[in-house]
Amino acid sequence: MEMAAAAHGVNVKGSSMSPLEVASSSLQRTARTHSWLTPAGRIAHPSFMPKKLRHEDSLRWECRSSENAPKRCSIEVQAAVADLLTQEDKAVVSVPKGETWSVHKFGGTCVGTWERIWNVSGIIADDPSLRKLVVVSAMSKVTDQMYSLLNKAQNKDDSYEADLVEVYEKHREAAMSLLSEGTELDGFLNNLQSDVKNLLAILRAIYIAGHCTESFSDLIVGHGELWSAQMLAASVRKRGLLCKWMDARDVLVVNPTSSNQVDPDFEASEERLEAWYSQNQADTIIVTGFIASTSDNVPTTLKRDGSDFSAAIFAALFRAGQVTIWTDVDGVYSADPRKVSEAVILKTLSYQEAWEMSYFGANVLHPRTIIPVMRYDIPITIRNVFNLSVPGTKISRFTAVDTETPQLGNEPEGCSSVKGFATIDNVALINVEGTGMAGVPGTASTIFGAVKDAGANVVMISQASSEHSVCFAVPEKEAKAVAKTLEAKFQRALAAGRLSKVDIIPNCSILAAVGQRMASTPGVSATLFNALAKANINVRAIAQGCSEYNVTIVVNREDSVKALKAVHSRVYLSKTTMSVGIVGPGLIGGTLLKQLNEQAATLKEEFNIDLRVMGVLGSKTMLLNDRGIDLDSWKHSLKENGEPANIQKFTEHLQSNHSIPNTVIVDCTASAEVATHYHHWITRGIHIITPNKKANSGPLDQYLRLRALQRQSYTHYFYEATVGAGLPIISTLRGLLETGDKIQRIEGIFSGTLSYIFNNFTGDKSFSQIVLEAKASGYTEPDPRDDLSGMDVARKVTILARESGLKLELENVRPDSLVPEPLREGCSTKEFLSRLQEFDADLTKLRAEAEKSNEVLRYVGIVDLREKTGSVKLERYPKSHPFAQLSGSDNIISFTTQRYHKQPLIVRGPGAGAEVTAGGVFSDILRLASYLGAPS
């Protein structure tokens, strides 16, 4: 052979070229003067001769003369080539690398049944990419079953045999349904039977020994991937594609670094890949996920959920153009949709964002999947195998946030500096504290050395710059061991007092906000903490690195979902959802429910406000609903499905749905009993809105205690409708005070009922006649004496006085009662109305005297800040006065202040009626929504 090669200018001995390179060189020399007939029978010009021989099963190159007459190539050269190919066994074919490859990964759910395997093969066949590599997991639940039978064998539970038979039958039935019949099915079943026979022998040995090494464990549990890969490859071939399947243990080399982590050896894996591909050339390759080998060819795995990692490693080995992770969700959500129903699919994520969200438990990727693809800027797309119409989430080096100005608000998805949120539950905080820690080198090293000795994983670290304390989070199950190790390590420091304590704070959860450039975007942390404060959530610890990708917050476990909902709602401005409870579904409460029902759709669509009435509490019955009461039929439901009224159960119910961070109770009663619950509601973080005057005009000490509590919390207490129904009287007064104005006098007609009566008390009509008309028109309470006594106005005067800074008791405001003394007590409403005319003379006389002076009678309330008094009385005003120019049931309030001393500030408008009062309450609800994050 050497002589023949030399005859054609080929030097084999002493050459630095490999035998194949020598043979290629020989053919190239000959090709300069000849055309060639390829094995496929086509004429090849010399310029198309391969620079490096490629192996074909029937490699025969037939040489032809330039005259195209058949002429055999030199026998010596043919012999040399054949001999060289024999020496090399087969020509090494380099793996074609680059963007022509697309990598797909299908999880266990995607191949859970034979029908799903067939659907997956269709997705592969439909992929237009030139070359495809598909990483596949074991069929759904199979890996768990393999671990289970392994554990049973170790524990000498011989039911492992029956479990293995069950696994065998599952795959046999799937294969028979998928492949029907033929050599593909026969080949797979033969392999399956052989594998199960071997597994049975291994498990029997484990059963006898009562112990299993890690390598045997990895060998056993990796069989699910072997079987699913073979079935998927067969089904792809059934669709007409040339397809090979790869046992990843023949190619993928990893080095274990701990009990639950391995590092890929890319150099060794690339060498093995070249060797495998030269033997198995195909444009479609099905690869087993999860499993690999060590450098010593010992079977191992990439640990739990490692198939994503497999896909990323192979993408890097092939320098693929893209990776698609197929799963059973439409993409990566901004938060766990099981906890936050308003979570949205993210169109894009950066590698770092996906990395952070994976670490904090979001259902994105295996946490280490990102590393291999980042090296070559290979994008990953998360898609739903059951919903091909959705494009999914693309993870790459750059996202829209890199080119858009980060901002908080109603921005298009993808531009916010905060992309998503994730939570880790069941963690505990360890707090190491002491004055002796400050300035002592190595303290932190000693602390975390002790944590390492305890074998614990630190999830988060927070340390004040004073070094007085170090706080860190660990899984709750490891907390006691860590604390015990720390106490032993710092025994002398604790005894000497240099270290004061090692505390465990259990029952915590970690909330992580993830996004690019968060640290360089003003207001992100403020927005997050503001949202938590408004949801009445206490923050136990915080951490933010300079990487700009993450803000980590520790909260109590019971607040975990509520906190997640609150920050997600605030950042994404998804529907600002409130759990609403209505107390008192009477005239005002019923009207409010009607208004809420009419506006519900508009509020959702245009203002992102979702008001869910979760409960309606009457005096005798109540209606509760976990998803929200149907406001079209609440009256019927309350009557037919109502349960006995229980204000404590009502309160518990409103806060039982932790996916809704904000709860508000609207008290539409006039009950002093209901008002006594306000303090308890505020301590629970429940917002209160009410037209009920009893709390703010009740005992002064209770009022001051309630307001102090409300100011200390982020819980809102709105009561605009307590004075003037829907008129902005309270807010106007607050605006004056907050801007530094000094109130001198507040005077006004605060009762819509009495306004109507005295606006119509003219001409020949008697006072009793006007009262009857007012009652018939619905302007009075069922018993008009409640209005005519002046107590309602006195309560409003007390409220305004207290808002102005006066510590006034209701009993200090003595109203001029319009109820004749004999009729105040001891008679029914009917008797009162029939006898009221007996006392018309006095008021008729007062009206006549006023008219002689060109004046009118008006029933007013007065707050005099100079005299520090409040009063309610019947007064006379000139007809030119604003109070004399009212009509109907309008209210009017005059503010005389330091700024408005020459001409008082006047607020005038409708001040009575269910529609107006309910409208005022509704306005407070919308104001609360704006404070909680909805657009104002």
Side-chain angles (χ1 to χ4, degrees):
M1 186 273 291
E2 293 176 11
M3 292 177 59
H8 290 271
V10 179
N11 181 19
V12 177
K13 274 192 175 180
S15 173
S16 61
M17 294 188 294
S18 70
L20 279 176
E21 289 173 327
V22 171
S24 295
S25 175
S26 175
L27 291 179
Q28 286 287 337
R29 290 170 185 271
T30 311
R32 292 170 186 164
T33 56
H34 296 79
S35 297
W36 294 84
L37 186 67
T38 69
R42 294 189 293 272
I43 296 295
H45 189 269
S47 62
F48 291 104
M49 274 296 295
K51 292 182 180 179
K52 186 174 181 181
L53 282 178
R54 296 177 65 86
H55 174 75
E56 300 282 353
D57 288 339
S58 58
L59 180 60
R60 292 289 182 271
W61 291 87
E62 185 175 340
C63 178
R64 296 191 175 210
S65 68
S66 58
E67 290 80 16
N68 209 26
K71 180 179 180 181
R72 297 292 299 175
C73 182
S74 167
I75 295 174
E76 291 82 0
V77 173
Q78 289 267 342
V81 172
D83 193 38
L84 289 169
L85 286 174
T86 301
Q87 286 187 29
E88 285 286 316
D89 186 23
K90 286 186 178 181
V92 175
V93 180
S94 294
V95 178
K97 297 181 179 180
E99 295 186 357
T100 57
W101 287 98
S102 66
V103 175
H104 298 264
K105 180 264 175 177
F106 293 94
T109 307
C110 303
V111 292
T113 64
W114 75 265
E115 294 96 340
R116 292 182 180 180
I117 296 174
W118 181 247
N119 289 337
V120 165
S121 70
I123 293 173
I124 297 168
D126 292 340
D127 180 359
S129 301
L130 185 61
R131 298 181 176 94
K132 292 159 277 194
L133 182 132
V134 180
V135 177
V136 63
S137 298
M139 293 180 73
S140 181
K141 306 298 182 185
V142 167
T143 301
D144 289 336
Q145 289 177 293
M146 301 300 282
Y147 273 115
S148 175
L149 60 89
L150 178 62
N151 291 332
K152 287 183 176 181
Q154 289 186 97
N155 294 320
K156 297 188 179 297
D157 179 351
D158 56 15
S159 66
Y160 73 86
E161 296 181 355
D163 289 353
L164 184 57
V165 171
E166 183 181 334
V167 173
Y168 167 77
E169 287 297 328
K170 179 175 183 174
H171 288 84
R172 186 184 69 84
E173 291 173 4
M176 292 181 67
S177 299
L178 187 66
L179 305 176
S180 300
E181 59 183 15
T183 57
E184 290 278 15
L185 176 62
D186 294 340
F188 173 77
L189 292 180
N190 287 336
N191 288 339
L192 179 64
Q193 290 170 357
S194 176
D195 288 343
V196 169
K197 183 178 179 181
N198 291 336
L199 283 173
L200 195 59
I202 296 171
L203 288 167
R204 181 62 183 170
I206 294 171
Y207 177 87
I208 294 171
H211 174 70
C212 177
T213 63
E214 183 179 352
S215 59
F216 270 113
S217 172
D218 290 343
L219 173 66
I220 292 170
V221 299
H223 275 75
E225 277 73 16
L226 295 173
W227 298 329
S228 62
Q230 292 175 60
M231 286 193 290
L232 180 58
S235 63
V236 170
R237 287 192 292 268
K238 192 173 180 180
R239 288 185 180 270
L241 273 70
L242 176 62
C243 174
K244 298 289 182 70
W245 81 275
M246 176 197 294
D247 182 344
R249 295 175 298 191
D250 295 337
V251 172
L252 188 54
V253 180
V254 298
N255 297 313
T257 57
S258 67
S259 61
N260 60 358
Q261 186 169 295
V262 296
D263 286 339
D265 185 334
F266 283 98
E267 185 175 349
S269 298
E270 286 189 343
E271 290 178 2
R272 293 193 181 189
L273 176 61
E274 292 286 350
W276 184 91
Y277 190 82
S278 69
Q279 305 281 336
N280 300 275
Q281 298 170 58
D283 289 339
T284 302
I285 302 172
I286 311 298
V287 186
T288 56
F290 179 56
I291 58 177
S293 293
T294 67
S295 56
D296 298 326
N297 291 321
V298 177
T300 187
T301 69
L302 302 183
K303 311 311 172 188
R304 277 289 193 174
D305 302 318
S307 294
D308 289 348
F309 197 18
S310 297
I313 294 170
F314 276 107
L317 291 173
F318 280 86
R319 311 296 192 270
Q322 62 179 353
V323 178
T324 303
I325 305 292
W326 294 90
T327 180
D328 56 358
V329 294
D330 288 339
V332 181
Y333 283 87
S334 54
D336 188 338
R338 293 169 298 182
K339 299 177 180 178
V340 182
S341 59
E342 295 86 1
V344 298
I345 296 292
L346 300 173
K347 295 178 182 177
T348 60
L349 280 173
S350 70
Y351 290 132
Q352 291 83 359
E353 288 167 339
W355 199 341
E356 293 283 354
M357 292 185 73
S358 297
Y359 176 80
F360 284 98
N363 187 21
V364 182
L365 294 169
H366 185 283
R368 303 193 68 205
T369 300
I370 306 297
I371 300 173
V373 296
M374 281 183 66
R375 184 177 179 184
Y376 300 103
D377 282 345
I378 302 171
I380 300 176
T381 302
I382 312 295
R383 293 193 63 188
N384 190 345
V385 72
F386 306 115
N387 190 3
L388 302 182
S389 62
V390 177
T393 300
K394 183 177 181 180
I395 301 170
S396 59
R397 183 170 297 278
F398 301 106
T399 66
V401 75
D402 291 301
T403 55
E404 299 283 348
T405 301
Q407 55 184 335
L408 289 173
N410 200 11
E411 66 273 13
E413 191 277 305
C415 297
S416 172
S417 55
V418 180
K419 276 295 187 70
F421 301 91
T423 55
I424 301 177
D425 294 324
N426 302 318
V427 299
L429 284 176
I430 307 292
N431 186 43
V432 183
E433 188 175 305
T435 54
M437 293 171 56
V440 179
T443 301
S445 174
T446 304
I447 291 172
F448 293 110
V451 176
K452 180 183 177 183
D453 293 343
N457 176 40
V458 176
V459 184
M460 187 207 82
I461 303 171
S462 178
Q463 179 179 0
S465 59
S466 67
E467 300 181 338
H468 179 68
S469 68
V470 175
C471 172
F472 56 93
V474 297
E476 193 159 30
K477 62 184 179 181
E478 300 172 356
K480 288 183 179 179
V482 170
K484 186 175 180 180
T485 306
L486 285 169
E487 287 169 352
K489 183 76 72 172
F490 288 100
Q491 184 177 6
R492 293 179 61 185
L494 286 165
R498 295 193 306 276
L499 208 65
S500 57
K501 60 182 177 180
V502 176
D503 271 351
I504 298 177
I505 305 170
N507 302 320
C508 293
S509 291
I510 288 178
L511 168 65
V514 174
Q516 231 169 333
R517 296 172 60 187
M518 287 200 305
S520 59
T521 304
V524 173
S525 294
T527 300
L528 298 176
F529 293 120
N530 186 259
L532 293 173
K534 288 182 176 180
N536 200 43
I537 293 168
N538 184 38
V539 174
R540 306 304 303 263
I542 59 174
Q544 178 178 359
C546 61
S547 66
E548 306 185 359
Y549 297 122
N550 178 284
V551 175
T552 306
I553 302 164
V554 180
V555 299
N556 294 328
R557 186 191 301 162
E558 61 266 24
D559 292 330
S560 174
V561 175
K562 188 177 180 182
L564 179 62
K565 180 83 176 182
V567 294
H568 185 276
S569 177
R570 180 63 188 89
V571 170
Y572 271 83
L573 288 185
S574 58
K575 297 180 179 67
T576 300
T577 309
M578 288 192 286
S579 173
V580 182
I582 305 294
V583 182
L587 186 59
I588 294 174
T591 304
L592 175 63
L593 286 166
K594 177 175 176 289
Q595 293 176 353
L596 290 173
N597 190 31
E598 291 171 348
Q599 287 295 109
T602 301
L603 290 174
K604 278 187 181 181
E605 294 170 8
E606 298 184 16
F607 300 99
N608 290 316
I609 299 172
D610 186 1
L611 302 176
R612 301 184 189 177
V613 179
M614 312 296 281
V616 175
L617 175 67
S619 59
K620 296 181 180 179
T621 58
M622 66 180 180
L623 180 65
L624 308 176
N625 190 293
D626 291 330
R627 294 189 174 183
I629 294 169
D630 183 355
L631 298 186
D632 284 325
S633 57
W634 70 267
K635 285 185 179 179
H636 175 77
S637 298
L638 180 62
K639 182 178 179 180
E640 298 297 325
N641 305 317
E643 56 185 279
N646 184 316
I647 198 164
Q648 183 177 353
K649 183 178 179 181
F650 174 81
T651 304
E652 294 287 343
H653 170 78
L654 293 178
Q655 290 191 304
S656 63
N657 189 337
H658 293 295
S659 66
I660 301 178
N662 308 300
T663 302
V664 56
I665 291 180
V666 183
D667 175 17
C668 295
T669 72
S671 167
E673 167 61 24
V674 174
T676 62
H677 293 274
Y678 288 7
H679 190 277
H680 173 65
W681 290 341
I682 290 176
T683 59
R684 295 190 56 154
I686 299 175
H687 308 288
I688 301 171
I689 294 172
T690 183
N692 186 350
K693 295 175 278 291
K694 297 297 171 64
N696 285 8
S697 63
L700 180 61
D701 60 337
Q702 293 183 21
Y703 165 79
L704 294 175
R705 182 166 164 255
L706 180 65
R707 291 306 309 276
L709 175 65
Q710 186 266 323
R711 279 191 288 265
Q712 290 168 7
S713 69
Y714 278 85
T715 305
H716 297 282
Y717 173 37
F718 293 153
Y719 45 86
E720 184 72 74
T722 57
V723 180
L727 295 179
I729 297 173
I730 300 289
S731 56
T732 299
L733 174 57
R734 283 188 174 176
L736 292 170
L737 293 169
E738 289 169 0
T739 57
D741 203 352
K742 305 295 183 183
I743 309 297
Q744 297 172 355
R745 183 181 177 90
I746 303 172
E747 184 176 4
I749 299 173
F750 297 105
S751 168
T753 302
L754 295 173
S755 176
Y756 177 87
I757 288 172
F758 284 99
N759 286 338
N760 289 277
F761 187 37
T762 58
D764 297 330
K765 288 185 178 181
S766 66
F767 183 77
S768 61
Q769 186 179 354
I770 300 299
V771 170
L772 289 170
E773 289 178 1
K775 187 177 187 310
S777 300
Y779 286 114
T780 72
E781 294 293 335
D783 187 340
R785 285 175 291 187
D786 293 339
D787 299 297
L788 299 176
S789 68
M791 283 305 300
D792 182 65
V793 178
R795 289 189 180 278
K796 295 175 181 178
V797 167
T798 303
I799 292 170
L800 291 175
R802 290 175 177 179
E803 287 290 314
S804 302
L806 292 183
K807 294 183 178 180
L808 195 67
E809 290 279 11
L810 177 61
E811 60 198 39
N812 299 136
V813 183
R814 299 185 179 276
D816 290 345
S817 177
L818 300 177
V819 181
E821 181 71 34
L823 303 182
R824 290 178 187 176
E825 296 180 0
C827 66
S828 65
T829 302
K830 184 177 181 181
E831 183 181 354
F832 162 74
L833 291 172
S834 66
R835 293 185 57 194
L836 183 58
Q837 60 183 341
E838 299 172 13
F839 304 91
D840 281 338
D842 290 341
L843 283 171
T844 301
K845 180 181 178 182
L846 290 174
R847 180 182 65 183
E849 291 174 353
E851 288 178 347
K852 285 181 182 178
S853 301
N854 201 30
E855 294 177 334
V856 295
L857 295 175
R858 293 293 183 260
Y859 195 81
V860 297
I862 301 168
V863 179
D864 192 328
L865 274 296
R866 292 167 179 165
E867 299 295 329
K868 298 182 179 181
T869 60
S871 58
V872 177
K873 50 192 172 182
L874 188 62
E875 291 275 53
R876 288 163 51 173
Y877 291 91
K879 289 185 177 180
S880 60
H881 194 280
F883 287 12
Q885 298 170 16
L886 292 184
S887 60
S889 60
D890 282 2
N891 282 187
I892 187 168
I893 296 88
S894 166
F895 294 95
T896 302
T897 72
Q898 194 173 54
R899 293 177 189 154
Y900 296 96
H901 64 281
K902 292 183 179 179
Q903 182 176 353
L905 175 64
I906 301 291
V907 177
R908 173 182 172 176
E915 289 284 344
V916 172
T917 304
V921 173
F922 199 167
S923 179
D924 272 349
I925 294 174
L926 298 182
R927 183 155 63 107
L928 173 62
S930 72
Y931 284 12
L932 297 176
S936 58

